[in-house]
Amino acid sequence: MTMKALLILILTLLSIKSVCAYKFSYDFNKTPVSEALAKIAKEHADVNLSFIYTELTGYLNSSTIRTDDPYEAIKLTIGKNPVKVTEKKGLFFVEALQHGTYRYSGKVIGDDNQPVIAATVMLIAPKDSIFLTYGMTDEKGCFLIPCDHKDVIVKLSSLGYQPTCINSISFDLGTIRMESLPVNLNSVHVMADRIRKRNDGMVITPRKRDLEFATNAYDVLENIMIPGISIDRKNSSITRLGSEVSVYIDGRRSDSDDMEGLPPGSIKKIEYIDVTSGKYIREDAVINIITNRNDGSHISVDVLQNLTYEKGKYIVKAQQTSGTTTFSASAYIEQAKYTDNKGGIYESYRIGDVSFDRNASVRESPTIYDNEFFRFRVKDNRDNRSLSAAMSMRRSHTPDSRYINLISYDYGGNISESLSTSSIKDNSLSPTFDLSGEFSLSDRSVLNVTANGSYSHNKYSSSYDEGSFSSISDVKEGYWTVFANANYSRKYGKSAASIDMIENFQKSNAEYSGTYPSIQDMNTNELIANIGYMAPIGKYFLINLRAGISWIRYHLKRQSKTSRSVPRGSLMLRYMPGSKHTVSLNFNAGNSYPTASTLNSADQVVNEFLLKQGNPSYKPSLLLNSALMYGFFSHRFNMQALYINNIITHMLLPHYYAEGNKVIYTFDNSSTLYQNMGVFFGTIDIGSGATLKTELAVIDNRFSKSLIDSHHATFRASLDLSYTWKKLMLSAGFKAKEKELTSAGVMSESFNTWRCSVRYILTDWLFEIGAENLFSKANYLRNTYQSETYSYQSDIYDRTHQSNVYAKVTFRIDRGKKQKISGLDAEESQSSAILK
């Protein structure tokens, strides 16, 4: 007999012995207490039960009870439920202490996905915060509480966990996650049961109005107004200080289509994390949206249509959840067609001893495209693991579009004119797969694994005609991407450590034919390894350390290989002197690499005198960052004030030089950017349904050691206001014009923008009418660049920045319980390495 077989036999015998030690044994699994007590009474002839109230069917028991003492068995069956048992002359009277028309149920788990046992669940009236009734969770974290009130606030508390509050959307509250206290019990502060300050950020429970007046996750984030986070609903983006914020849904990294497809009613709470660790170790800042998960079906239709020009997006979703498994199918069509774009570009060339000006005025500049997307996803969520698999197909199509400009040349006072005609055609078909899993290896350790890949079949055609000059380019490309990530995190008391590995591979096979034929066979590969450690220091301090390395390998066939390793790391020290104040000091060192579309040696014609070329030789950019932040949290007012210093070496900038009778437009990254920022973010709850949010910033950029030597300070100001009254929500926003020296070395001048909207709720419908820059004069975005060989000023009139009125209609049908709905999963940007 092998050792393994011997151990199995011993364990089996011990199990049999333990079971046979008692005459009576009970195994209950979500069994009503009344039914369990009746079973005990039936097996004990001397036990007589009398039920005073019938509400005991609402209390469940999910435990194993082994005892021959009937009174002990009855006590263990009742557990900590609000039930009273009295004995009179051998007769047991069982009385439910709570009664009610409705029954609120749910399951409570911790951030390790394990049940929270014996958590107190209180039901509170939302209007006046009067305590109504309470209950306790059993061995599986489940609870069921009778109550006569239809809408309640559910407040959960348990030793070692942060108090959690949610608004009841239905009687079945689904799975509720409680976060463990990362440092000590004093580190969490509840403000109006909505915003909770944490050591690593904050947790926001959306108000009822935040969810009701929203059609997707972007709307919810805009309604709750997180300080420092800018929401652009029109362009589906979330930024902080101009940089994209990483968004997760239930711990899974998501994109803009996920956000647009997520129903507001499924959102339970939102985590904003600015001290990243664990699965978020590679991010700078994270928004994680936590949703409800319950049985039911869902069908939704979302329609967004501009009324002053032709652009719209139409989304259809269907989902079915049964038990732990969810099936979902999603599709959308996005179309645009408008031709009233205007503007011009005014250029100066110096080629050898010849200097001249070239001015182009737009005569015809259409915007035409259509995108289609379909995805099927299956997910299975259980207490100790979560799995997800998806397949999708995306088509992006820009039909043959014809652009006409009036060209004027000035050779020292000799002026001539001509017309230029160019056309562009773009088409991409891309299937993708996405696999992810989260596994609870123990009470304190979690493994997250993600793998996704795509193949894109891309076609791009362009032509240019002006006088006797003509050029044409046709590109066919196959583009493969593979991304894999494994993250292991473990808690050690109040501390946490994590290991993160990323593999990012891209391959492009492209054939350029036409005026400048070439073949591009390119591989890029980056492997990133990170380790992190977060721990409290004493009562008021928190330290977060991260160290890693990035191995970069780039190879364009017929070119030399590029291979580099670059260290990465960060140090954050946070001081928390009280429930309202936070002071943080950050130091970061990182790296980045140019996009694949510039890492090639292809040529593309811009005009007769300007030729665009890729550059296969770059050095990775190095980022050195330091920041000091002060945060204040109170009942109605939340703010952040920051000073940030960035030093970025090897910035990617445009580079122009003369060669023969042309100016070559390529890229160079020998520059260093020195950036200083002073920023203030603030959100204030004015009361009576009104909320105000503001951002004020001064950004100073200076380039040195580069082809340009520029210095400029930018002033930024924006203001957002929302007001709700019964079934109406009014919102407005204003952003002041800016003159900014961008990170590409281009001076960009914007304009004042404003928006307003009215939303109205009618049962399952939500209607929105909005206006942007209404009755304002023409808005031109001006970009200016100067160098010795080539300079330009472009004035762009884009229809999307002008006076506009839009309408949005949302209709949803839910069957069964309220549930989490998966978002769409497509990338808005086309995966390609084509030089355009």
Side-chain angles (χ1 to χ4, degrees):
M1 181 180 293
T2 65
M3 180 61 72
K4 181 178 180 181
L6 180 61
L7 289 173
I8 293 174
L9 177 60
I10 292 172
L11 291 173
T12 303
L13 291 174
L14 289 173
S15 300
I16 294 173
K17 181 179 182 299
S18 64
V19 172
C20 294
Y22 299 98
K23 180 180 178 181
F24 298 99
S25 179
Y26 311 93
D27 291 300
F28 300 125
N29 183 17
K30 293 186 178 180
T31 305
V33 168
S34 56
E35 182 180 326
L37 293 175
K39 184 177 181 180
I40 294 173
K42 184 177 180 182
E43 294 187 3
H44 292 268
D46 56 341
V47 173
N48 295 307
L49 293 176
S50 178
F51 298 99
I52 298 177
Y53 295 104
T54 61
E55 278 85 357
L56 288 176
T57 55
Y59 304 123
L60 305 178
N61 187 291
S62 300
S63 61
T64 298
I65 299 174
R66 293 170 184 164
T67 178
D68 293 336
D69 184 350
Y71 186 70
E72 181 70 16
I74 291 173
K75 289 197 301 180
L76 293 174
T77 301
I78 292 171
K80 295 186 177 181
N81 289 304
V83 178
K84 180 181 179 183
V85 179
T86 56
E87 181 186 5
K88 292 183 179 180
K89 298 180 181 180
L91 182 62
F92 292 91
F93 293 89
V94 182
E95 176 184 3
L97 300 180
Q98 297 174 345
H99 324 287
T101 307
Y102 311 110
R103 302 180 188 277
Y104 291 89
S105 63
K107 180 176 181 179
V108 183
I109 62 174
D111 47 16
D112 56 0
N113 291 324
Q114 297 300 310
V116 178
I117 302 171
T120 301
V121 184
M122 293 188 293
L123 304 186
I124 301 170
K127 290 186 178 180
D128 47 20
S129 298
I130 294 176
F131 169 78
L132 301 174
T133 184
Y134 81 102
M136 305 289 289
T137 58
D138 60 16
E139 286 81 357
K140 293 194 175 182
C142 299
F143 66 87
L144 196 150
I145 306 172
C147 184
D148 283 323
H149 286 253
K150 201 167 186 178
D151 294 318
V152 299
I153 295 175
V154 182
K155 185 173 183 177
L156 300 99
S157 60
S158 181
L159 185 64
Y161 292 89
Q162 299 177 8
T164 301
C165 294
I166 63 171
N167 292 317
S168 64
I169 299 176
S170 67
F171 300 124
D172 190 329
L173 302 168
T175 301
I176 304 172
R177 185 182 296 269
M178 296 186 71
E179 303 293 333
S180 60
L181 295 172
V183 179
N184 55 55
L185 292 175
N186 295 325
S187 64
V188 177
H189 181 61
V190 179
M191 287 164 282
D193 290 332
R194 190 177 80 89
I195 299 177
R196 300 198 310 279
K197 170 179 166 287
R198 298 195 323 193
N199 293 333
D200 61 351
M202 66 179 74
V203 179
I204 302 117
T205 301
R207 296 162 295 195
K208 186 177 180 181
R209 72 190 192 205
D210 297 332
L211 302 177
E212 284 184 334
F213 292 98
T215 60
N216 56 40
Y218 286 113
D219 292 353
V220 176
L221 290 176
E222 183 184 53
N223 292 345
I224 65 176
M225 292 188 174
I226 302 175
I229 301 299
S230 299
I231 310 298
D232 188 339
R233 298 170 64 207
K234 183 171 68 174
N235 296 312
S236 301
S237 70
I238 303 175
T239 57
R240 183 176 186 267
L241 298 174
S243 299
E244 291 289 331
V245 175
S246 300
V247 179
Y248 287 71
I249 297 176
D250 291 323
R252 179 177 62 85
R253 192 180 180 112
S254 304
D255 57 31
S256 60
D257 293 301
D258 281 306
M259 297 288 287
E260 289 181 353
L262 187 66
S266 67
I267 297 176
K268 182 166 59 175
K269 61 182 177 180
I270 296 165
E271 299 176 322
Y272 173 58
I273 303 169
D274 61 354
V275 182
T276 55
S277 62
K279 73 172 71 175
Y280 309 124
I281 185 174
R282 67 181 184 272
E283 312 288 4
D284 294 323
V286 168
I287 289 176
N288 181 39
I289 300 174
I290 300 174
T291 64
N292 300 299
R293 285 174 277 187
N294 296 302
D295 289 353
S297 60
H298 174 91
I299 298 174
S300 66
V301 179
D302 291 296
V303 175
L304 172 63
Q305 183 64 56
N306 285 285
L307 304 180
T308 46
Y309 62 95
E310 189 175 341
K311 182 181 179 182
K313 190 168 186 176
Y314 322 102
I315 304 173
V316 178
K317 291 176 49 60
Q319 178 168 303
Q320 175 67 44
T321 301
S322 179
T324 62
T325 307
T326 298
F327 301 91
S328 62
S330 309
Y332 75 69
I333 297 175
E334 184 179 28
Q335 295 179 325
K337 184 178 181 181
Y338 50 93
T339 59
D340 50 349
N341 297 316
K342 301 183 229 179
I345 181 169
Y346 314 100
E347 305 167 289
S348 295
Y349 290 80
R350 183 177 179 86
I351 303 175
D353 296 330
V354 179
S355 297
F356 62 91
D357 295 330
R358 181 181 185 273
N359 301 328
S361 300
V362 173
R363 290 296 180 88
E364 186 175 323
S365 181
T367 298
I368 307 172
Y369 64 82
D370 62 90
N371 301 320
E372 295 87 31
F373 170 78
F374 173 79
R375 184 214 62 195
F376 177 77
R377 179 184 290 277
V378 58
K379 294 191 295 182
D380 190 71
N381 293 291
R382 303 193 181 185
D383 291 342
N384 61 345
R385 61 118 177 101
S386 175
L387 301 175
S388 174
M391 291 292 295
S392 62
M393 180 70 72
R394 186 177 192 270
R395 175 180 177 265
S396 176
H397 179 226
T398 300
D400 197 357
S401 303
R402 192 164 176 257
Y403 305 89
I404 300 176
N405 291 334
L406 175 63
I407 309 298
S408 172
Y409 291 94
D410 185 350
Y411 290 90
N414 296 321
I415 298 175
S416 61
E417 291 185 346
S418 63
L419 287 177
S420 71
T421 303
S422 59
S423 65
I424 293 176
K425 187 177 182 180
D426 204 351
N427 191 61
S428 176
L429 187 65
S430 179
T432 65
F433 75 88
D434 189 322
L435 303 172
S436 64
E438 180 173 306
F439 306 91
S440 297
L441 305 181
S442 68
D443 292 343
R444 291 185 167 272
S445 59
V446 178
L447 175 66
N448 285 273
V449 181
T450 300
N452 56 65
S454 67
Y455 168 75
S456 298
H457 182 66
N458 302 317
K459 294 181 180 180
Y460 174 76
S461 299
S462 65
S463 65
Y464 185 83
D465 294 281
E466 181 186 340
S468 60
F469 178 80
S470 179
S471 72
I472 188 170
S473 178
D474 287 302
V475 190
K476 296 180 181 179
E477 180 195 36
Y479 191 77
W480 291 263
T481 65
V482 177
F483 176 87
N485 173 239
N487 179 284
Y488 173 77
S489 57
R490 182 176 177 84
K491 294 181 179 179
Y492 298 92
K494 298 176 181 179
S495 306
S498 56
I499 301 174
D500 190 76
M501 299 288 292
I502 299 173
E503 167 65 26
N504 192 3
F505 173 80
Q506 302 172 67
K507 180 179 178 63
S508 171
N509 290 330
E511 181 179 354
Y512 292 73
S513 60
T515 307
Y516 293 96
S518 65
I519 295 176
Q520 303 288 322
D521 191 350
M522 179 179 64
N523 297 330
T524 64
N525 187 64
E526 184 174 20
L527 177 65
I528 301 174
N530 284 307
I531 59 173
Y533 182 70
M534 183 171 67
I537 302 177
K539 186 177 180 181
Y540 300 111
F541 289 91
L542 179 73
I543 190 171
N544 190 33
L545 299 169
R546 181 173 58 191
I549 191 168
S550 171
W551 290 277
I552 302 170
R553 186 176 183 274
Y554 163 75
H555 184 210
L556 180 65
K557 287 192 176 180
R558 292 171 294 278
Q559 299 283 343
S560 60
K561 296 181 181 179
T562 298
S563 181
R564 290 185 176 90
S565 60
V566 183
R568 307 160 64 95
S570 67
L571 167 64
M572 189 283 306
L573 184 64
R574 175 158 286 185
Y575 173 55
M576 300 158 290
S579 60
K580 294 184 178 182
H581 307 277
T582 299
V583 180
S584 299
L585 183 62
N586 296 269
F587 300 97
N588 298 280
N591 66 283
S592 65
Y593 216 66
T595 59
S597 60
T598 65
L599 286 167
N600 56 54
S601 58
D603 297 330
Q604 288 286 6
V605 170
V606 180
N607 58 51
E608 181 180 358
F609 301 101
L610 190 60
L611 180 66
K612 187 176 182 180
Q613 290 183 346
N615 183 355
S617 300
Y618 291 118
K619 293 181 180 179
S621 295
L622 300 180
L623 168 65
L624 301 175
N625 162 266
S626 58
L628 178 64
M629 185 273 284
Y630 168 73
F632 177 80
F633 300 79
S634 71
H635 180 71
R636 294 184 179 274
F637 177 62
N638 300 301
M639 59 81 70
Q640 290 182 359
L642 302 94
Y643 168 73
I644 301 172
N645 174 262
N646 293 318
I647 301 175
I648 308 175
T649 68
H650 305 297
M651 287 291 297
L652 185 66
L653 298 178
H655 175 39
Y656 298 89
Y657 65 93
E659 185 177 273
N661 63 346
K662 293 185 182 296
V663 170
I664 306 300
Y665 164 28
T666 185
F667 304 93
D668 173 83
N669 72 335
S670 61
S671 305
T672 299
L673 172 63
Y674 297 90
Q675 185 178 70
N676 290 281
M677 289 187 282
V679 187
F680 172 83
F681 302 119
T683 301
I684 182 169
D685 188 348
I686 302 174
S688 301
T691 306
L692 185 69
K693 176 182 175 183
T694 185
E695 174 183 347
L696 301 172
V698 178
I699 304 172
D700 184 84
N701 288 341
R702 179 171 62 86
F703 288 93
S704 67
K705 301 178 183 178
S706 68
L707 301 173
I708 65 171
D709 190 7
S710 299
H711 177 219
H712 184 75
T714 300
F715 298 90
R716 180 172 298 168
S718 65
L719 185 67
D720 295 280
L721 173 68
S722 69
Y723 174 74
T724 57
W725 180 72
K726 294 184 178 180
K727 298 293 184 180
L728 286 173
M729 172 182 251
L730 308 177
S731 63
F734 172 80
K735 185 176 181 181
K737 63 181 180 180
E738 295 179 19
K739 185 174 182 180
E740 178 186 11
L741 177 61
T742 69
S743 58
V746 176
M747 189 69 72
S748 177
E749 297 180 58
S750 64
F751 38 83
N752 293 325
T753 60
W754 67 273
R755 60 174 179 81
C756 63
S757 65
V758 179
R759 304 178 207 178
Y760 177 71
I761 300 172
L762 182 62
T763 60
D764 295 326
W765 296 81
L766 192 150
F767 302 92
E768 178 180 352
I769 294 291
E772 300 167 317
N773 301 320
L774 202 59
F775 309 118
S776 63
K777 63 180 182 180
N779 295 309
Y780 286 85
L781 178 66
R782 173 167 292 179
N783 292 318
T784 306
Y785 177 87
Q786 291 185 340
S787 69
E788 184 178 346
T789 303
Y790 175 78
S791 302
Y792 73 84
Q793 174 186 304
S794 65
D795 293 328
I796 303 170
Y797 175 99
D798 190 315
R799 190 64 189 84
T800 60
H801 298 150
Q802 312 309 316
S803 298
N804 177 40
V805 177
Y806 67 89
K808 189 171 185 178
V809 180
T810 300
F811 176 68
R812 290 187 171 92
I813 302 174
D814 288 289
R815 294 291 182 264
K817 303 170 184 176
K818 291 287 184 180
Q819 58 172 324
K820 171 210 165 182
I821 309 299
S822 298
L824 297 172
D825 218 13
E827 288 289 349
E828 288 293 341
S829 59
Q830 177 181 330
S831 297
S832 175
I834 297 175
L835 182 72
K836 297 180 180 179

